Amino acid sequence: VIIGICPFNEQRQEYDYFKLHFTSVKALHLDEINFVRKADLEIYGCDYEVKENLLQVEFTLLAGFGQQSCLMNITSSGVRLEQYFPEN
């Protein structure tokens, strides 16, 4: 499972681009979600813990104006962070 994230860099006044690569995914659950455009999806929050050598992550996702939030849960043996630079 790969998730793209783009946090805003306040010092440079631009976005940084990263990919989270979850390895050896043991479980994946996503609440039902309705969205009009993929670009409207936003990670609002993230909680995680390590239990029995497994990483358990819960993302709270926003689906755009007037839409309900939903949860995505991932359990994996690890995660790798990769910075990338999108082509314009």
Side-chain angles (χ1 to χ4, degrees), residues 33-44 61-64 70:
I33 184 170
N34 296 309
F35 60 93
V36 177
R37 298 177 326 141
K38 185 170 69 171
D40 289 338
L41 287 176
E42 177 182 342
I43 297 174
Y44 177 73
L61 304 176
L62 301 179
C70 74

Side-chain angles (χ1 to χ4, degrees), residues 39-83:
D40 289 338
L41 287 176
E42 177 182 342
I43 297 174
Y44 177 73
C46 177
D47 292 313
Y48 68 92
E49 67 178 326
V50 176
K51 273 186 163 177
E52 301 173 8
N53 293 326
L54 291 175
L55 177 64
Q56 298 176 342
V57 182
E58 180 177 87
F59 291 102
T60 302
L61 304 176
L62 301 179
F65 182 75
Q67 301 294 320
Q68 288 186 312
S69 64
C70 74
L71 298 177
M72 179 172 64
N73 295 287
I74 300 174
T75 301
S76 72
S77 63
V79 66
R80 178 173 53 90
L81 180 66
E82 172 191 353
Q83 186 172 16

